[in-house]
Each structure stands twice: as C-alpha cells, then as structure tokens.
Amino acid sequence: MNDLYMKDFDKYISPFQHDVLMEKCSKIKHVALDMDGTIYMGSTLFDFTIPFLNTLTANGIGYSFLTNNPTKSQEDYLKKLEKLGIHATKDEMYTTAIATIDYIKVHFPDARRLFILGTPSMIAEFERAGFVSVADDPTERPDVLVVAFDMTLQYSRLCRAAWWAKQGVPYIATNPDKVCPTDQEVVLVDCGSICRCIEYATDRRPDIVIGKPNPDMLDGIKNRYGLDASEIAMCGDRIYTDVAMAHNAGALGVLVLSGETTLETALSSDPQPDITALNIAEFAELLLESKKQ
C-alpha cells in the first residue's frame, strides 16, 4: 500500500511507513508542481495554493511549475499565474513546448521547418526559438512533425499531420495526456488522444513523447539548482504522467486528488505513488511535520 496521507492518515499507514515517509519528506529541497488539477482547475485557483507556496518559501523549499499542457507559451502561462495572484519567473516555468524545442535543438540541430499541430500561442513559442511553421501544403515537407494538445484543431491540419507521419517525417509528441482537466462540463481531448487518432489512421506512433512521464523534464531543475533527484518532490494529479515521471527520475512522487485521479484509482494503481494526499495543502502538512523530526 502507498503512503496515503489524509487528516487521519494514521488509520492508513503503519508507524514504520510513517517514519520512512518522514525521512523522505525531510530531504525535500524543491517541489515541482503540476498546474491544472494541482494548483488550479481551469481558470479557478484553489484557495490553498498561495498558502502552500508561502509555506514552501518560509521553510526554504524552492518550487517550479511544470506542465504537460503546451497550449500556452511560457509568457502566456506567467500572465495567467499573475492574474491568479501567483508571481512567477521564467526560471520557475517549464512547459512541454519548451522541452520539445530543447529536444529538437539537441537531436535535430539542422531542423528549421516544422509542421506543428498546436495552438497559435504554442506555434509562436517555436517561431521565437528560430523555427519556421510550414503551411498545410503537400509541397512544404517539414524537417520534423510536432503534434501537441491543440484546442484550435482543424480537421485539414489533422489530416496533414497524419500525412507527414505516414511519409516518415520525424514525429514528436509534446505530451501523452489523454484529456486535460477542466472545471467546465466538457471533455478536453488532449495530445495523447490526438496521437491515437493519427496512429489509427497511419499505423505510426510518435518517435518520442516529450513531457511527463519522461524524466528529462526534471533535469532542468536538477541542473539549475544542483539537486539530487531524492531532494525533489514531483506533485501532480495524474499517476501516469506526474507520479510516473517522479518514479522514472528517482524523485518523490506525490499524487493529489484535486484533479483527474480518484482515490479508488489511486489505491488500485501499480506501482503506487510515494504519497497520496487530498491536495497540496495536506502535502504541506507532511513537509512541516518532517521538519520537526
């Protein structure tokens, strides 16, 4: 069983498990935070988010925001956080669009022309990085095909993406998420589902899927702050992205139940998260308790 934490968590874990949990939490120097479903839902900031961030700062624990949602540029995300009352810097924000740009520059250094299935905001991010977004034209063969969570998806562009996938163009997906959390009465079809559509039409999967659970998403934090993976907690609302990335990277995987994942799903998961909490406020209680040990 995982180290399940709630207000009355002693019912769920043994004293030995609790001691192990405290030891793990006492090592944490930085918290990597998922965004949608973890610190806010859609356009609504959770009332415990700012107190949580203040608690981290007061206890000398740094934090960064990591999101698998590439629909907004880094600047747009910072503006959204500012509007919600969170003052963040570029160094504290890492999106899968930025991670994909970094990957292409390393692994396809000569690539300039991309066919991008993504929002205008995301495409602008790639263009600012020096890439050219090619048109929906069979004569405009791209160097790389990039498929993302596209909330402005046009059927003709989906068909063109499938065409380039079928032609053998290097194919990168920004993230594996099936759906995006939302506070609206709708299912937001995410990048993973779009890629499955292309796969069904072409029998081709992406060559690589960037973003969580790819452990490379945490490398920037480790390198920037000189941290070991055991000193980082990855906190998010999804087992198959947030927690899986933490496990892949050797970091502490913290699942919160404020977004996509239900308690029933969490308890039946294999492998289990290191910690399951109702929300980040309860995770903060664990961190504070570990500091008193």
Side-chain angles (χ1 to χ4, degrees), residues 203-254:
D203 292 323
R204 184 172 176 201
R205 296 181 179 181
D207 301 325
I208 186 170
V209 180
I210 307 296
K212 301 172 285 187
N214 189 324
D216 292 345
M217 281 286 281
L218 284 180
D219 282 350
I221 292 175
K222 290 192 295 183
N223 297 335
R224 185 175 299 148
Y225 300 105
L227 298 173
D228 185 76
S230 64
E231 297 173 315
I232 301 172
M234 177 63 223
C235 189
D237 68 312
R238 291 173 170 174
I239 294 174
Y240 65 94
T241 57
D242 302 308
V243 174
M245 179 181 69
H247 288 170
N248 291 341
L252 184 71
V254 182

Side-chain angles (χ1 to χ4, degrees), residues 51-118:
F52 173 78
L53 298 178
N54 291 340
T55 295
L56 294 183
T57 300
N59 286 273
I61 300 173
Y63 58 84
S64 299
F65 302 104
L66 274 68
T67 178
N68 265 13
N69 187 335
T71 58
K72 295 181 178 63
S73 67
Q74 192 177 47
E75 289 78 7
D76 286 342
Y77 269 118
L78 291 174
K79 288 177 183 176
K80 176 173 182 174
L81 290 177
E82 185 74 27
K83 188 177 293 185
L84 292 173
I86 298 174
H87 308 293
T89 66
K90 282 189 175 182
D91 287 342
E92 295 170 335
M93 172 63 62
Y94 199 49
T95 72
T96 51
I98 297 296
T100 302
I101 288 169
D102 290 345
Y103 181 88
I104 293 173
K105 286 184 174 181
V106 170
H107 295 276
F108 299 94
D110 297 327
R112 290 292 178 271
R113 295 161 49 79
L114 312 177
F115 186 83
I116 306 172
L117 207 61

Side-chain angles (χ1 to χ4, degrees), residues 58-221:
N59 286 273
I61 300 173
Y63 58 84
S64 299
F65 302 104
L66 274 68
T67 178
N68 265 13
N69 187 335
T71 58
K72 295 181 178 63
S73 67
Q74 192 177 47
E75 289 78 7
D76 286 342
Y77 269 118
L78 291 174
K79 288 177 183 176
K80 176 173 182 174
L81 290 177
E82 185 74 27
K83 188 177 293 185
L84 292 173
I86 298 174
H87 308 293
T89 66
K90 282 189 175 182
D91 287 342
E92 295 170 335
M93 172 63 62
Y94 199 49
T95 72
T96 51
I98 297 296
T100 302
I101 288 169
D102 290 345
Y103 181 88
I104 293 173
K105 286 184 174 181
V106 170
H107 295 276
F108 299 94
D110 297 327
R112 290 292 178 271
R113 295 161 49 79
L114 312 177
F115 186 83
I116 306 172
L117 207 61
T119 63
S121 179
M122 191 194 96
I123 291 173
E125 186 99 77
F126 278 79
E127 291 175 337
R128 281 193 292 272
F131 295 104
V132 175
S133 175
V134 303
D136 178 4
D137 185 331
T139 67
E140 294 283 334
R141 185 182 179 93
D143 300 316
V144 177
L145 166 65
V146 176
V147 175
F149 175 26
D150 188 0
M151 299 178 73
T152 60
L153 183 65
Q154 297 175 356
Y155 180 71
S156 62
R157 291 184 61 79
L158 173 63
C159 293
R160 183 62 58 204
W163 171 254
W164 291 130
K166 194 168 185 178
Q167 300 311 303
V169 171
Y171 173 15
I172 301 173
T174 59
N175 58 293
D177 305 64
K178 301 172 186 174
V179 298
C180 179
T182 178
D183 54 358
Q184 305 298 311
E185 294 180 335
V186 67
V187 173
L188 296 181
V189 176
D190 209 324
C191 180
S193 298
I194 294 173
C195 290
R196 286 297 295 271
C197 175
I198 293 173
E199 179 187 349
Y200 196 76
T202 67
D203 292 323
R204 184 172 176 201
R205 296 181 179 181
D207 301 325
I208 186 170
V209 180
I210 307 296
K212 301 172 285 187
N214 189 324
D216 292 345
M217 281 286 281
L218 284 180
D219 282 350
I221 292 175

